[in-house]
Amino acid sequence: MAQHASRLFVKRPGKHAVRTLVTALAVAAVMPAALAAPAEAADQSTAVVSRRVQIPEFYNPPATLPDADGALVRTEPLPLGVGLSIPGIGSLPGTATRVMYKTTDNNGAAAAVTGAYIEPFAAWSGAGDRPLVVVAPGTMGQGDQCSASLGLERPILFNGKTVSVGYEDIGIYRLLARGVAVMVTDYVGLGATDRLHTYVDRVDGGHAVLDAARAAREVPDASVTTGSRVALYGYSQGGGATGSASELASTYAPEINLVGAYVGAPPADLRATAVGIDGSALVAALAWTINGLAQSNPELRPILDENLNEAGQAALEDLSTACVADGIFGYPFQRSTSWTKTGESLDDIIEREPAVRSIISEQKLGHVAPRIPVRLATGTQDDIVPHEQSRQLAVDWCGRGAKVTYQAVILPNLGDGLVTNHVTPLLVDQTAAINWVTDRVKGVAAGSNCASMPVQP
């Protein structure tokens, strides 16, 4: 069993999936932390294949990375899957550049992160230099083919072995239409082929977002400057990353002119979120969380060997190369009790394993007050990234003196465990969220409704 488990958390060229998907529909994004031991870096000339998708060699990190966080490793033109180039006029909605930049992971080690910078065709009509919004994507999955930067190039990917949809492209294009430059991060290990994606790891996610803002200024021909106002935008996994970045910014990246963050449906409490996901249509996110946690914390691997049965081991390995739709259609409504030797749930195992409890508690948001305005939105019926724990983050931040605009998105129950209660608030609230972010980069002062939190749903 130990020998089998050792294969679960290492990316290998040519690895194929075991399930065939027959439909293409991907929905949103979620969940908690990240675990496993780094894989050996792929050689720049080595073709990495994930579910029969060849990952461009651009995504293979070099053996040595720059010293500075946010420093560019390499760039190349990125063709937008939905766009238009007009000779003599420019590109619509903008000119995209694929990027790789350096960050520091939660173990203090250098890590390569990929992403995309888009210089908008639209002019900036506000005061000051063109602003920047860093987009932290929602859950894409754990396979490199699922990365948001590849989603900009091919908005829909379906090859019979995997389905990936670049659903963040809509919000990105709406920001570009306002003349705002956009930098999209793929996070640590999603796209970059040297390690597994450390799914919703608090530090890895926050650092990747902040270093994306630094890297954007280095992109050739980018119009953003050190004086540009910078805002953050993210929902679900992305909301956790922008929430983390908001907490870490003052110490990790104090030089960034950060003016606000949209924190949508954040998985602030990973344990509570794991309970919400278990048995849902998106139970795959549990596997991505476990895989990610083991990537960052190899001391957890013996605990996995001890507790996971063959079905659990196989699910974790299979899902390590899966996208959201693959997980939804391949593992719908499974319960973690079917993945363990004892029939316990993962929450039961967390409860009796102090080492696991400690690692998960380190992932919790809310212990530090952001020094920038934040807008926290959560659907009151959200049962995937549970509403109560997202609301509690607003309470915690308000209690620590942060300037919080809390938005409860009130909708009817659209189906327990179906992901609909999680996805719909993203769509319903998107215009308001983009308006709020746009006001921040225009220099409009933000308010706060912390005083009303006791009566907010």
Side-chain angles (χ1 to χ4, degrees):
M1 179 67 74
Q3 195 172 35
H4 175 70
S6 69
R7 297 191 292 112
L8 291 176
F9 310 106
V10 181
K11 288 183 179 176
R12 303 183 306 280
K15 183 176 178 182
H16 297 298
V18 295
R19 299 191 188 277
T20 299
L21 299 179
V22 293
T23 182
L25 183 73
V27 284
V30 316
M31 209 182 90
L35 318 241
E40 294 183 5
D43 184 83
Q44 177 61 19
S45 62
T46 302
V48 174
V49 178
S50 181
R51 295 193 177 228
R52 296 185 182 171
V53 178
Q54 183 165 320
I55 308 302
E57 290 181 1
F58 181 95
Y59 290 83
N60 295 348
T64 303
L65 296 173
D67 292 331
D69 289 320
L72 286 179
V73 178
R74 63 173 71 108
T75 65
E76 70 176 18
L78 172 64
L80 294 175
V82 179
L84 179 66
S85 180
I86 304 175
I89 297 179
S91 300
L92 296 174
T95 301
T97 302
R98 199 186 324 264
V99 302
M100 179 182 286
Y101 61 93
K102 184 257 184 181
T103 193
T104 296
D105 69 18
N106 66 2
N107 289 315
V113 179
T114 56
Y117 172 82
I118 309 173
E119 181 76 15
F121 173 78
W124 171 242
S125 60
D129 294 335
R130 188 192 297 276
L132 174 72
V133 172
V134 177
V135 172
T139 297
M140 296 293 175
Q142 205 157 42
D144 290 328
Q145 77 279 12
C146 319
S147 68
S149 62
L150 285 174
L152 284 163
E153 182 176 0
R154 50 187 190 210
I156 298 177
L157 168 67
F158 174 56
N159 69 355
K161 287 293 183 181
T162 188
V163 179
S164 181
V165 178
Y167 61 83
E168 292 287 6
D169 296 2
I170 298 171
I172 291 168
Y173 277 41
R174 295 184 71 183
L175 288 163
L176 293 168
R178 300 182 180 210
V180 175
V182 172
M183 183 75 164
V184 184
T185 181
D186 289 335
Y187 302 121
V188 174
L190 187 61
T193 58
D194 61 333
R195 65 179 76 193
L196 276 182
H197 172 38
T198 50
Y199 182 58
V200 274
D201 182 280
R202 179 180 65 86
V203 174
D204 281 14
H207 284 183
V209 167
L210 294 169
D211 286 324
R214 288 166 161 158
R217 302 190 301 236
E218 295 189 19
V219 174
D221 300 322
S223 60
V224 296
T225 69
T226 56
S228 293
R229 296 187 183 99
V230 179
L232 313 178
Y233 179 96
Y235 186 87
S236 195
Q237 180 185 359
T242 58
S244 172
S246 300
E247 293 186 348
L248 297 171
S250 62
T251 54
Y252 184 74
E255 82 284 2
I256 297 174
N257 186 16
L258 201 57
V259 296
Y262 165 55
V263 180
D269 183 333
L270 299 187
R271 188 170 177 184
T273 305
V275 172
I277 287 173
D278 201 348
S280 75
L282 198 57
V283 68
L286 279 180
W288 297 327
T289 301
I290 295 167
N291 285 344
L293 287 173
Q295 174 78 54
S296 299
N297 304 275
E299 67 271 22
L300 292 178
R301 296 174 71 185
I303 298 175
L304 297 178
D305 292 344
E306 180 182 347
N307 287 283
L308 293 179
N309 60 23
E310 289 186 7
Q313 298 274 11
L316 264 60
E317 182 168 17
D318 180 37
L319 286 164
S320 71
T321 60
C323 299
V324 171
D326 304 337
I328 290 174
F329 293 112
Y331 297 83
F333 309 111
Q334 290 192 16
R335 293 199 169 273
S336 62
T337 52
S338 68
W339 292 354
T340 63
K341 294 177 181 178
T342 61
E344 295 173 282
S345 70
L346 287 179
D347 191 65
D348 291 335
I349 294 172
I350 291 170
E351 180 61 31
R352 67 171 167 79
E353 292 286 351
V356 181
R357 286 205 311 274
S358 175
I359 289 170
I360 289 178
S361 68
E362 291 173 358
Q363 300 293 330
K364 195 172 187 297
L365 297 175
H367 295 302
V368 177
R371 297 184 185 178
I372 58 171
V374 293
R375 181 182 189 272
L376 193 153
T378 168
T380 57
Q381 296 291 337
D382 195 339
D383 54 346
I384 300 296
V385 180
H387 163 70
E388 293 78 9
Q389 59 87 45
S390 293
R391 183 188 183 280
Q392 186 60 48
L393 178 59
V395 171
D396 292 343
W397 278 344
C398 285
R400 295 181 181 277
K403 183 177 285 188
V404 180
T405 299
Y406 171 78
Q407 179 62 56
V409 183
I410 302 173
L411 295 167
N413 187 333
L414 300 174
D416 293 337
L418 297 178
V419 194
T420 45
N421 285 327
H422 180 63
V423 176
T424 306
L426 163 67
L427 304 175
V428 169
D429 188 56
Q430 188 176 76
T431 296
I434 289 175
N435 287 342
W436 187 91
V437 166
T438 303
D439 282 345
R440 302 293 78 75
V441 296
K442 283 183 176 179
V444 179
S448 172
N449 62 356
C450 279
S452 69
M453 282 307 301
V455 297
Q456 291 278 1

